[in-house]
């Protein structure tokens, strides 16, 4: 399986389970035994005793510390009179119910309950598509096999990938293949909502709760009730809002701003990010307990530069209905497959859209492809950056990388702020003039000047 994937295939235990159920495992996510795992089928006991299902070496853990039992979709937890107790969300848990993805604190050890979808090997799907995602490569077909398996369940999913790889398409495709397909699909863009409005947009607000709240408003959770909530660019969520999101995920309840009562919500969460959230946890910018709750199942969409064999199919799909005729081949296809695509599929789509609009003739071989410098041939293609795998002179390689970055950055910026150059410039921390000059330099293929 590709190293970009961290999902495992459903093991034999899950195939023995009933319809819609998922086999589980216990994973030590913090403590002396970090990384240790044990299956959790019908019952499990955690403690220091060798007879336990998950045996811990932590001296603060009792010999038989806590017992767990599955009852249908419910997970029942009972502390066995341990000397240091069992904590869930910071509160002592003696006898209660927790969800899949819950993290229990036993002494100095944290144990997560996760689906046993993690065996590091899965047969590639025979299909060349999953919903709106396309790909002939082994990496994409492995991901399709995983997504088709977890889509019918209700477990949270974390989709990772660089900007432009299609993370939101993956979330939408998971929803479409789920049992909630006929229910609402709501996207909450964590990056585009001002921090002071994020709580209201996510959980809703009551009329008069704050200045400008002229009427009651349902938040994203309530609008997605019964369906799927996509938390796009999860790594951008303000740190002070993360505990409230965790509480909503754990309890299935939200409290609109200005209200005292909570409201029940039934939502399946699919989160996406282009950040390394584990690194963000280490930097103190993201809560570890929220990450464990979100990455019950995690998939990573590989960047386009790592799967050039997918480009012919993507080009065919993206040109569908454009009126462009002729075989997808020749020099133009060679150039597309040689380019490093820092902006991924989004950049491919933009390049083709621009070329079709300016095409002198409705044929693929007549398209004038405006690519970055790294499209000049295989000698400029690196493993991850232009000019690295087969080194170019340093200055030339650096110029190619800068040009590719600028093109991808501006493309994504303008897509996020369509038709509003001033807003785009402000979001980028640039003057309007600087952004205009940068766009002009990109179109002309000339180096931009630092300002």
């Amino acid at each position: 399986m590709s190293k970009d994937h961290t999902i495992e295939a459903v093991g034999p235990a899950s195939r023995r389970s009933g319809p819609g159920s998922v086999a589980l495992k216990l994973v030590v996510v913090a403590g002396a035994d970090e990384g240790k795992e044990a299956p959790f089928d019908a019952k499990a006991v955690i403690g220091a005793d060798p007879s336990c299902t998950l045996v811990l070496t932590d001296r603060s853990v009792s010999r038989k510390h806590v017992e767990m039992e599955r009852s249908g979709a419910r997970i029942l937890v009972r502390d066995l009179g341990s000397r240091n107790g069992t904590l869930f969300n910071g509160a002592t848990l003696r006898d209660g119910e927790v969800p899949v993805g819950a993290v229990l604190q036993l002494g100095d050890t944290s144990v997560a309950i996760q689906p046993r979808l993690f065996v590091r090997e899965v047969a590639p799907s025979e299909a060349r598509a999953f919903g709106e995602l396309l790909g002939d490569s082994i990496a994409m077909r492995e991901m399709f096999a995983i997504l088709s398996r977890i889509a019918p369940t209700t477990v949270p999913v974390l989709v990772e990938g660089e900007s432009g790889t299609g993370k939101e398409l993956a979330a939408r495709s998971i929803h479409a293949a789920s049992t909630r397909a006929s229910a609402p699909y709501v996207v909450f863009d964590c990056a585009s909502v001002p921090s002071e409005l994020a709580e209201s947009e996510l959980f809703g607000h009551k009329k008069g709760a704050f200045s400008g709240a002229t009427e009651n408003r349902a938040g994203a959770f309530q609008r997605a009730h019964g369906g799927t909530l996509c938390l796009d660019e999860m790594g951008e969520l303000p740190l002070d809002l993360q505990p409230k999101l965790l509480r909503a995920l754990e309890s299935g309840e939200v409290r609109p701003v200005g209200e005292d009562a909570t409201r029940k919500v039934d939502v399946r969460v699919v989160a996406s990010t282009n950040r390394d959230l584990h690194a963000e946890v280490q930097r103190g910018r993201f809560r570890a307990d929220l990450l464990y709750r979100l990455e019950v199942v995690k998939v990573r969409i590989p960047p386009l530069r790592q799967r050039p064999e997918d480009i012919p199919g993507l080009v065919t799909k993206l040109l569908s209905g454009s009126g462009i005729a002729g075989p997808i081949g020749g020099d133009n296809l060679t150039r597309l497959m040689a380019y490093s695509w820092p902006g991924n599929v989004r950049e491919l789509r933009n390049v083709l859209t621009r070329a079709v609009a300016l095409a002198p003739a409705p044929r693929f071989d007549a398209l004038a492809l405006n690519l970055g410098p790294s499209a000049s041939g295989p000698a400029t293609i690196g493993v991850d950056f232009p000019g690295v795998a087969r080194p170019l002179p340093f200055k030339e390689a650096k110029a190619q990388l800068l040009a590719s970055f600028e093109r991808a950055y501006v493309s994504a910026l303008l897509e996020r702020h369509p038709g509003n150059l001033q807003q785009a410039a402000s979001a980028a921390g640039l003057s309007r003039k600087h952004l205009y000059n940068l766009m002009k330099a990109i179109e002309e293929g000339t180096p931009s000047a630092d300002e």
Side-chain angles (χ1 to χ4, degrees):
M1 183 173 179
S2 167
K3 65 181 180 181
D4 287 302
H5 297 284
T6 56
I7 303 294
E8 312 162 336
V10 177
S14 66
R15 289 192 289 269
R16 293 194 298 269
S17 303
S21 63
V22 177
L24 300 178
K25 67 176 181 178
L26 304 172
V27 183
V28 180
V29 294
D33 300 292
E34 185 172 348
K36 192 171 186 178
E37 301 181 2
F40 174 24
D41 295 323
K43 286 187 177 182
V45 176
I46 305 175
D49 192 283
S51 66
C52 290
T53 311
L54 178 62
V55 181
L56 302 177
T57 60
D58 182 356
R59 291 181 177 273
S60 61
V61 172
S62 299
R63 289 183 62 78
K64 291 191 176 181
H65 197 109
V66 67
E67 179 182 59
M68 302 180 190
E69 182 176 356
R70 297 187 67 179
S71 177
R74 304 166 64 205
I75 301 173
L76 308 177
V77 178
R78 182 167 63 94
D79 186 88
L80 299 176
S82 64
R83 62 180 179 274
N84 289 316
T86 300
L87 302 182
F88 175 56
N89 281 349
T92 300
L93 177 64
R94 292 186 176 85
D95 195 341
E97 183 178 335
V98 298
V100 174
V103 179
L104 303 178
Q105 187 73 32
L106 286 63
D108 297 325
T109 297
S110 298
V111 178
I113 305 170
Q114 297 181 351
R116 198 155 70 229
L117 299 170
F118 295 26
V119 230
R120 303 282 179 214
E121 193 171 301
V122 61
S125 172
E126 292 297 320
R128 263 53 179 179
F130 177 78
E132 300 176 59
L133 297 170
L134 303 175
D136 292 310
S137 62
I138 292 295
M140 290 297 285
R141 287 165 51 209
E142 286 175 340
M143 189 178 71
F144 296 161
I146 292 160
L147 294 179
S148 63
R149 200 167 292 184
I150 58 96
T153 73
T154 59
V155 296
V157 182
L158 178 63
V159 182
E160 294 182 337
E162 295 178 4
S163 179
T165 51
K167 297 185 293 296
E168 211 268 317
L169 291 184
R172 206 155 58 214
S173 299
I174 291 170
H175 172 72
S178 74
T179 57
R180 298 169 176 247
S182 60
Y185 172 77
V186 176
V187 178
F188 179 81
D189 189 344
C190 302
S192 65
V193 178
S195 58
E196 63 272 16
L197 296 178
E199 183 176 0
S200 167
E201 291 294 322
L202 197 55
F203 304 125
H205 65 250
K206 182 180 179 181
K207 180 180 178 180
F210 51 85
S211 176
T214 57
E215 57 185 4
N216 293 338
R217 176 176 170 81
F221 267 92
Q222 291 167 271
R223 298 198 305 275
H225 181 69
T228 302
L229 174 61
C230 172
L231 298 172
D232 195 23
E233 299 303 347
M234 189 67 226
E236 308 298 329
L237 190 71
L239 188 61
D240 60 353
L241 189 55
Q242 293 177 23
K244 298 177 182 178
L245 173 59
L246 177 63
R247 194 177 308 120
L249 295 176
E250 296 285 13
S251 66
E253 296 179 340
V254 297
R255 177 182 285 108
V257 177
E259 287 194 7
D260 295 326
T262 60
R263 302 187 183 188
K264 277 284 186 184
V265 287
D266 172 22
V267 170
R268 197 258 183 96
V269 171
V270 179
S272 71
T273 182
N274 62 5
R275 293 181 178 237
D276 180 346
L277 293 186
H278 283 277
E280 293 296 286
V281 169
Q282 295 299 317
R283 297 184 185 109
R285 298 173 187 165
F286 203 85
R287 290 179 61 104
D289 47 6
L290 177 57
L291 176 57
Y292 293 135
R293 187 70 181 88
L294 291 171
E295 66 169 2
V296 174
V297 172
K298 181 169 70 174
V299 292
R300 180 171 180 80
I301 304 178
L304 190 54
R305 65 179 173 273
Q306 293 181 1
R307 46 187 181 97
E309 62 269 41
D310 289 341
I311 290 177
L314 288 169
V315 171
T316 301
K317 176 67 175 179
L318 292 170
L319 290 179
S320 176
S322 68
I324 297 297
I328 306 300
D331 290 342
N332 267 351
L333 182 60
T334 299
R335 291 187 66 208
L336 292 175
M337 295 184 71
Y339 184 49
S340 60
W341 298 111
N344 292 293
V345 181
R346 179 188 291 127
E347 185 183 6
L348 173 62
R349 183 187 65 222
N350 292 346
V351 164
L352 292 175
T353 300
R354 182 166 51 242
V356 169
L358 300 174
R363 301 190 319 274
F364 180 70
D365 61 2
L367 296 181
L369 301 174
N370 186 5
L371 302 176
S374 66
S376 58
T380 64
I381 302 300
V383 176
D384 291 310
F385 302 107
V388 175
R390 301 177 186 179
L392 296 172
F394 175 78
K395 287 186 178 180
E396 185 178 346
K398 182 179 179 180
Q400 289 188 10
L401 176 59
L402 178 60
S404 296
F405 163 74
E406 289 177 344
R407 179 179 297 276
Y409 183 90
V410 171
S411 176
L413 182 69
L414 295 180
E415 183 165 321
R416 190 177 292 276
H417 303 281
N420 194 327
L421 197 61
Q422 182 59 56
Q423 189 181 72
S426 297
L430 303 173
S431 68
R432 194 174 189 276
K433 179 184 176 183
H434 189 173
L435 178 57
Y436 176 79
N437 290 339
L438 183 58
M439 292 167 59
K440 186 177 179 181
I442 290 171
E443 286 300 316
E444 294 175 352
T446 58
S448 63
D450 292 337
E451 297 189 16

